[in-house]
Amino acid sequence: MSAKTADKIATAVIVGVAAFIVLVLAGLLGFILYRGVGHISFHFLTSAPETIRKGGGIGPQLFNSVFLLVLTMIITIPIGLGAGIYMSEYAPANKITSGIRLIVEVLSSVPSIVVGLFGLLVIVNLFGFGFSLFSGALALTVFNLPLMVRITEQGLKGVPREQKEASLALGLSKWKTITSVMLPIAMPVILTGTILAAGRVFGEAAALLFTAGMSSPRLDFTNWNPLSPFSPLNPFRPAETLAVHIWKINSEGLAPDAAQIAAGASAVLVITVLVFNFAARWLGRYMYRKFTAIK
Amino acid sequence: MQSIGLSAKDLTVSYGDHAAVKRVSLDFSAKQVTALIGPSGCGKSTFLRSLNRMNDLIPNCTVTGEIWIRDQNINSPSTDVVSLRQKIGMVWQRPNPFHKSIYENIAFGPRYHGTKNKKKLDEIVEQSLRKAALWEETKDRLHNSALALSGGQQQRLCIARSIAVKPDIILMDEPASALDPVSTSKIEELISELKQDYCIVIVTHNMHQAARVSEKTAFFLNGEVVEYDDTPKIFTNPQRPETNDYITGRFG
Ligand SMILES: Nc1ncnc2c1ncn2[C@@H]1O[C@H](COP(=O)(O)OP(=O)(O)OP(=O)(O)O)[C@@H](O)[C@H]1O
Ligand SMILES: [Mg+2]
């Protein structure tokens, strides 16, 4: 077989595989959206679910998902940034450091249902946080934090050495060099990664079943006192998120329109995650252009 | 006698087991330009980077010996490296301005070292840019990104940036080798200007450049200084056959 034929065959195979993957993905997305989009309305997005009657919405669940995401990010971003900076700039290159790196890798690939059970045993029961948004946020932190650490570390490692040296050569401290020279350059990478990680948190269900719980109290959206048990802002109340809600109505929903609600909620979830992804790409590119700007 | 800006004694630099610079002793006079020449890989950059302790950043790199500035051995572990580096500026082969505005590139260092007054900073920026012969070209766009400047302008900006923190010594590692001939001659002119105020050490592969800008020249070979003398003497009447071979282009 001539090199040319081999090349042609290889190209054909690669294109074929790529086309197949794109087709499967497009089919999947198309199917979910096709089934669900028709059901999305303002009423659906804002009203509370019904147990046995028709016409329930996903308002509280949507709110819970967003709130849980914010809580998780409030916990993971500072710790993840700090740990990432440490791993990239301060940790000595030795066995302990590579051990930590390995553990971080492993942690981020633990199946989420295992994280959920761990959360139930340790966070919910042992620490006594109960089924709550806070427990859910801690469980999500378990696999979001390693991601955050790795993103930060990679972002900083990608900063050209000359930039770092230029700052140090001016007599700036290491910390100032990191915060004022390196982080701004690494920011597009870190931000993009963070948003992608956020997308994953938003769609997570298994880790939340036993931590954030599968029910919400009747929320009173006029009560903004975070200490009241009926306030949507109370982080220590149980909270069913959108992904968990989909799982629940699919498996035990009693409302006559359960199937449509599941389809609508799935479409909302998929659209949100897509928005996260596109926002990440757009913001990453925007910031890259801004920092390297030819203005 | 000329006052001494910087002096290295028995400086040995190793990467792991490999000694890249071997027991080098050199004195650099204030208000003079000293050129370091030698074939690729002979340890010029390694030597230069030890002088402001930049090699501290490389994990397996060890530097032994002494580096004296006035009465302080800056290679001793007790030296405050951060404040030391303010006194020793550095310019790299490839221009590396910060991803900030032209103004910020220069104001960044002085502001960190305590000049917060806006007027003072403006003054420092203007002075530094003037000294680097860049003021006329940039005064109307100080707040534009430094990355939009040409390579030669960027390199002059880097020089301006380093003199903005008032160093005594400036180290330059092939500062013009990535630039076009016009920019190169601008940088050379600039170096000749700057030597009235600073002790400059420059690594270069360009013999003519070394001859044009420097008072003294050190010839490195395999991590050792083979010959160190007045520049005219090195280029017209070298004492060592290796030096002669190198400057006449027989190797390297
Ligand atoms: N970070 C490093 N780790 C290990 N070895 C290094 C490192 N940097 C340089 N070396 C080695 O040290 C020796 C001297 O390198 P150096 O960069 O100082 O040479 P140079 O004279 O500046 O060469 P050039 O003219 O090509 O820039 C070389 O053998 C090189 O391989
Ligand atoms: Mg070099």
Side-chain angles (χ1 to χ4, degrees), chain A residues 93 160-174 176 180-181 184-185 291-295, chain B residues 49 52 54 57 82 85-86 88 90 92 96-100 108-109 112-113 143-145 147-148 161-162 165:
Chain A
R161 200 179 77 180
E162 288 83 10
Q163 288 287 326
K164 179 176 164 183
E165 290 186 350
S167 171
L168 292 173
L170 289 176
L172 273 79
S173 68
K174 192 168 177 178
K176 181 71 180 171
S180 295
V181 174
I185 297 176
F291 281 123
T292 56
I294 319 282
K295 201 171 50 168
Chain B
R49 290 167 52 86
N52 66 345
M54 208 41 94
L57 301 182
V82 171
R85 292 201 183 112
Q86 189 193 344
I88 309 181
M90 192 165 204
W92 284 257
N96 58 349
F98 296 129
H99 297 197
K100 301 176 190 292
F108 186 57
Y112 175 80
H113 292 297
H143 296 284
N144 290 5
S145 168
L147 301 182
R161 172 178 73 184
S162 72
V165 295

Side-chain angles (χ1 to χ4, degrees), chain A residues 52-258:
Chain A
I52 43 175
R53 273 184 301 154
K54 247 170 84 78
I58 54 165
Q61 282 74 19
L62 199 55
F63 178 85
N64 287 342
S65 285
V66 174
F67 191 27
L68 186 64
L69 176 67
V70 172
L71 268 184
T72 309
M73 286 312 182
I74 288 176
I75 301 174
T76 41
I77 289 178
I79 304 179
L81 270 179
I85 290 173
Y86 174 79
M87 293 299 283
S88 153
E89 300 303 313
Y90 289 91
N94 59 21
K95 285 220 173 82
I96 300 176
T97 308
S98 26
I100 297 177
R101 207 164 274 135
L102 184 72
I103 292 171
V104 167
E105 297 275 319
V106 171
L107 208 58
S108 68
S109 53
V110 171
S112 48
I113 188 75
V114 176
V115 173
L117 287 172
F118 167 83
L120 176 67
L121 288 175
V122 177
I123 304 167
V124 174
N125 293 334
L126 190 68
F127 293 166
F129 286 119
F131 287 129
S132 67
L133 277 162
F134 189 68
S135 301
L138 285 184
L140 290 178
T141 299
V142 171
F143 53 62
N144 206 26
L145 189 59
L147 220 58
M148 206 55 221
V149 174
R150 209 168 55 194
I151 291 162
T152 309
E153 194 181 348
Q154 277 170 357
L156 287 175
K157 283 259 147 76
V159 174
R161 200 179 77 180
E162 288 83 10
Q163 288 287 326
K164 179 176 164 183
E165 290 186 350
S167 171
L168 292 173
L170 289 176
L172 273 79
S173 68
K174 192 168 177 178
W175 180 244
K176 181 71 180 171
T177 298
I178 293 169
T179 53
S180 295
V181 174
M182 301 178 69
L183 275 180
I185 297 176
M187 201 40 86
V189 174
I190 296 178
L191 210 72
T192 310
T194 307
I195 298 177
L196 290 177
R200 189 175 159 199
V201 164
F202 198 82
E204 180 56 43
L208 296 176
L209 295 176
F210 314 121
T211 51
M214 289 183 266
S215 63
S216 292
R218 273 270 157 212
L219 294 180
D220 176 3
F221 277 90
T222 56
N223 180 351
W224 295 105
N225 171 9
L227 299 177
S228 149
F230 301 108
S231 163
L233 285 186
N234 184 347
F236 295 104
R237 66 178 171 86
E240 182 191 41
T241 64
L242 196 57
V244 171
H245 187 61
I246 294 171
W247 177 81
K248 201 173 81 179
I249 44 182
N250 245 337
S251 51
E252 55 192 43
L254 295 177
D257 57 352

Side-chain angles (χ1 to χ4, degrees), chain B residues 14-19:
Chain B
S14 316
Y15 298 105
D17 303 332
H18 167 69

Side-chain angles (χ1 to χ4, degrees), chain B:
Chain B
M1 201 189 95
Q2 285 253 290
S3 68
I4 287 176
L6 180 77
S7 144
K9 286 208 166 52
D10 276 342
L11 206 69
T12 297
V13 189
S14 316
Y15 298 105
D17 303 332
H18 167 69
V21 171
K22 300 163 201 156
R23 300 184 62 99
V24 168
S25 298
L26 285 175
D27 292 339
F28 303 104
S29 306
K31 309 199 178 195
Q32 271 200 355
V33 178
T34 307
L36 310 181
I37 60 170
S40 188
C42 66
K44 305 177 298 291
S45 300
T46 302
F47 174 75
L48 195 75
R49 290 167 52 86
S50 322
L51 299 181
N52 66 345
R53 302 275 302 264
M54 208 41 94
N55 282 332
D56 289 13
L57 301 182
I58 296 172
N60 63 351
C61 183
T62 48
V63 183
T64 59
E66 297 167 5
I67 302 165
W68 291 88
I69 296 182
R70 290 191 202 92
D71 49 1
Q72 190 192 8
N73 173 16
I74 61 165
N75 200 35
S76 83
S78 61
T79 304
D80 175 4
V81 182
V82 171
S83 62
L84 155 79
R85 292 201 183 112
Q86 189 193 344
K87 292 278 137 213
I88 309 181
M90 192 165 204
V91 177
W92 284 257
Q93 177 171 6
R94 282 202 328 195
N96 58 349
F98 296 129
H99 297 197
K100 301 176 190 292
S101 69
I102 295 169
Y103 183 94
E104 268 310 306
N105 260 277
I106 305 209
F108 186 57
R111 189 185 292 122
Y112 175 80
H113 292 297
T115 313
K116 310 277 182 213
N117 183 305
K118 170 94 171 62
K119 252 184 127 167
K120 271 261 177 60
L121 280 175
D122 289 351
E123 234 166 71
I124 293 178
V125 169
E126 175 168 351
Q127 272 173 11
S128 308
L129 285 173
R130 278 192 193 283
K131 270 196 196 158
L134 194 59
W135 175 251
E136 292 303 323
E137 289 153 81
T138 56
K139 64 180 180 201
D140 299 325
R141 45 172 175 156
L142 287 177
H143 296 284
N144 290 5
S145 168
L147 301 182
L149 296 172
S150 76
Q153 290 172 326
Q154 287 187 9
Q155 194 64 306
R156 276 179 282 149
L157 180 67
C158 292
I159 294 174
R161 172 178 73 184
S162 72
I163 56 186
V165 295
K166 303 198 165 45
D168 298 326
I169 299 151
I170 304 177
L171 311 173
M172 302 184 174
D173 195 348
E174 305 185 36
S177 68
L179 306 178
D180 64 284
V182 175
S183 303
T184 301
S185 66
K186 278 194 182 153
I187 298 278
E188 287 179 12
E189 272 168 40
L190 183 55
I191 293 172
S192 308
E193 276 299 306
L194 292 174
K195 76 178 171 205
Q196 296 168 9
D197 300 315
Y198 307 97
C199 164
I200 297 177
V201 185
I202 174 173
V203 172
T204 179
H205 277 284
N206 182 333
M207 296 302 121
H208 298 292
Q209 186 171 72
R212 275 193 300 264
V213 302
S214 71
E215 274 74 39
K216 292 219 164 201
T217 298
F219 173 56
F220 275 68
L221 188 61
N222 298 327
E224 290 173 272
V225 174
V226 173
E227 191 167 354
Y228 179 43
D229 215 325
D230 293 338
T231 300
K233 203 162 165 216
I234 293 271
F235 285 102
T236 53
N237 185 20
Q239 302 300 302
R240 298 282 301 266
E242 299 95 320
T243 315
N244 192 43
D245 287 350
Y246 182 69
I247 60 170
T248 53
R250 234 164 283 166
F251 74 90

